[in-house]
Amino acid sequence: MTHGGGRGRCEVLDDVTSDVSLRARGESLEAAFTAAADGLLSLTVENPEAVAARETRAVRLEEEALDLLLLRFLNELVYLRDAEGLLLRVASLAIRRDGSGGTALEARLEGETFDASRHEAAGEVKATTAHGLAVAPCPEGWEARFTVDV
Amino acid sequence: MPGPARPRPALRPLRPGVWESAGDERPGMHVPVRVFASEKLLHEMDDQVFTQAANVATLPGIVGASCCMPDAHWGYGFPIGGVAAIDPRHGVISPGGIGFDINCGMRLVRTRLTWPEVEPRLAELVDALAARVPAGVGSRGFVKLADDDLEAVLGEGARWAVGRGFGRPADLALTESGGCFPGADPAAVSERAWKRGKDQLGTLGSGNHYLEVQVLRPEGVFDAERARAFGLDLDEQVVVMFHCGSRGFGHQVASDYLEDFLRKMPAKFGLEVIDRELACAPVSSREGRDYLAAMCCAANMAFANRQVILHRIREVFGDVFERDEASLGLDMVYDVAHNTAKLEQHEVDGRRRELLVHRKGATRAFPPGHPELPPAYRETGQPVIIGGSMETGSYLLAGVETGAASFFSTAHGSGRTMSRTQARKRVRGRDLKRRMEHHGILVRAASMRGLAEEAGFAYKSVDEVAAATELAGLSRRVARLVPVANVKG
C-alpha cells in the first residue's frame, strides 16, 4: 500500500465558534486522508513529531461514500486513542473506489501510547462530526473538510 | 453541507427578552425560531445560530418553537444552547440535537468552610485536587470496572456509585432525575463504546471541562431566601463546582448512531435533512428507540462519573483540612444535565403532551411546585448552575413558572464568542495562567493550549447571560460565585 502524493497538509479553518474545523489537502485522495489524520493528531498533542512508531494497527473500512469513509476513519483514530491510549499516524494508506460509489480504505497506523514526559498534551477530540463534512477534488488534487468536537 | 449563514430573520419581540421569527425563513419550517436574549446578546449572536435554529425548525414532530437560549452560539447541527421539543409519536430523535458529550453537566457542592479558612491552604488544596482528579489527554479513571460493573453503571448511574460507597444516599435526590435516566438498555450500546469508556470513570476530560473552588461574596447574593434554601448561608462561603460528562463512552454512543442514521435516513426512513449533522430517526423506529436507550446509558455513565469525582473531592478536602469530611459540609446543592433528550410532560396550546425535549448546551429549569423536584426544592424551583468562563464567575439560579415558553430550559454557560484559534492568537496559556494567578485564581491545567482557548475574553459576559435568563423569564438569579482556583484538562 502507498499513500501516493506524500502526506499532504492540514490546516485549521477559523470558522466555527466552539469546535474546530479543518481542511486537509493532498495530491491524491490518500495524501488528503493522511493529512486529515495528521491534523487530528496535532489537536491531541502539541509535538506530534515526538510520537514514535512503537506499535502498529491495521484498519480496514468500507463505506458507501467518500465523506462517510473519512468520518469513519477519523473516528477510528479517536476510538484507538481512548480505548488503547494510542497516538497514531498513517504509515501507509490505500483507498479503493468501485464504479457504483462504494469505497474501501486499508491503512497501517504507527504510533505509541501517550507519555506525559515526552508528549505535550493539547486536547481530546471527542468525535468527528458530519457538520460540513466533504471530500472533493481541488486544483491541488483532493481536499477533505471536517469539523471535530473538542 | 449547511452552507454559509443566511440573512438574520426579522425577529419581533414577544415580551422583554423574548424574540420570535415569522417561521417562514426557510421552506419546511414547522415552527418559528424563538430566541431568549437581551438586545445586546441578540446583537452579538453568530448569524449561524439563526440559520441552525431555522434548520432545527424543519425537523419532523417539532412543537411550539425552535428555541435558542441566551448563551446560544454556532454549533454543529443544532446551535449550542438550542432546545427542541418533539412529539415522539410522529417525530424524530437526533444525536446532533443532544451533542457528542451526552449529559455533560454541572455539579455544585457547598462546604461549611469560609474563604479565610481556605485561603492559607488553597495551593495545597488545588494541588491535591489536580493530582487526584485525573484530567486531560491520556488520563485513566480512578475507578476500575469489570464488565459487570460497567453494565450496572449504565443501568443505575449515580445510584451504582453511591451503592459502592462513592458518596452519600442524600446526594441522589439532589441530582437531576435522581442520578439515573430510566430506560437505559446496555444491549443498545456497541462494544466499542464499552471499550472506550471502561477506564474513564473518574476523569474530568479536557476542553471546557473543569473543577473550580469558588467563593460566595456578600455582594454575590441576589436572592437571600433561595440562597439559604440552597444551603448558601455563610459569609465568604467556599463551594466547589465541576463540569464533566460521559467521556469517551458517550462520544462513541453518539458517533455510532450518527453514522447509522446517516446511512439509513434516506432509504429506510424516507427522511431528508438540511444539515447532515441533524441526522435523525423516528422516535418510534427500532433505531430511534435503541439510540434513546443507549443515550440514557451514556447519561447514567455521566451521573456516575460526577458522583465518583464528588467522592474524591470529599476525600481531598478531608485530607487537606485534616477533619472528618462530613464536618466540612461538602453537601450537594444540585447536579444538572446538559446535552440530553428527555421525555417530559409539557402543556402546549392548553393541552398536556408528552414531548421528547432535546437540550443541547441547555439546562432543564423546572419551576416551584414541579412534581419531579425533591421536597427540599419544591418551593424554591430547581437549582440551575451556569458556569461562566474560568476568569469571571458562575451563577446559581432557580427555575420559574414563566419558563414554560422554553419547555422549562435555560442557559448552561456564558457561550463562546471567539473561536479557539482566535483565542490562542490573543494569549499564550502560560501568560494567561500568570495573569489569572495575579488576579487571585490559582490554575492547574493539563494543557496550556487548552487553557488559552478557554480565556475569559473568548466568552460572552456571564453576568449578561444570567441577567438575560431572568429578563426572559427562564430562571432567576440566586447567587454569583467567584473562582479562586481552577483545575482543567
Side-chain angles (χ1 to χ4, degrees), chain B residues 31 91 142 209 228:
Chain B
V31 293
F142 52 81
H209 294 153
R228 271 195 302 278

Side-chain angles (χ1 to χ4, degrees), chain B residues 25 31 34 40 43 53 82 101 105 154 243 259 302 409 446 450:
Chain B
E25 300 90 277
V31 293
R34 191 177 294 159
K40 182 174 187 291
H43 178 72
D101 200 354
L154 306 185
H243 177 222
E259 289 171 13
S409 311

Side-chain angles (χ1 to χ4, degrees), chain B residues 430-462:
Chain B
R430 283 173 220 291
D431 294 338
L432 178 62
K433 183 172 190 286
R434 262 196 300 275
R435 186 171 84 196
M436 288 175 67
E437 296 194 345
H438 179 72
H439 287 111
I441 307 169
L442 286 188
V443 179
R444 299 291 181 268
S447 159
M448 284 299 128
R449 172 187 181 140
L451 187 70
E453 290 176 355
E454 295 296 321
F457 56 71
Y459 283 85
K460 298 174 194 189
S461 154
V462 70

Side-chain angles (χ1 to χ4, degrees), chain A residues 7 29-38 40 57-63 66-80 88-95 105-109 128 133 144 146, chain B residues 192 259:
Chain A
R7 299 193 77 84
L29 196 50
E30 284 82 355
F33 271 57
T34 300
D38 286 344
L40 200 65
R57 292 289 180 276
V59 174
R60 289 180 182 201
L61 302 168
E62 290 183 10
E63 268 300 338
L66 269 178
D67 52 1
L68 290 182
L69 188 70
L70 177 71
L71 182 77
R72 288 271 309 282
F73 175 55
L74 295 174
N75 278 341
E76 187 70 24
L77 292 166
V78 172
Y79 167 75
L80 288 167
L88 295 165
R89 62 160 62 86
V90 172
S92 63
L93 184 149
I95 294 172
L105 174 149
E106 281 191 44
R108 193 166 66 83
L109 308 170
T128 307
L133 181 71
F146 58 103
Chain B
R192 289 161 71 84
E259 289 171 13

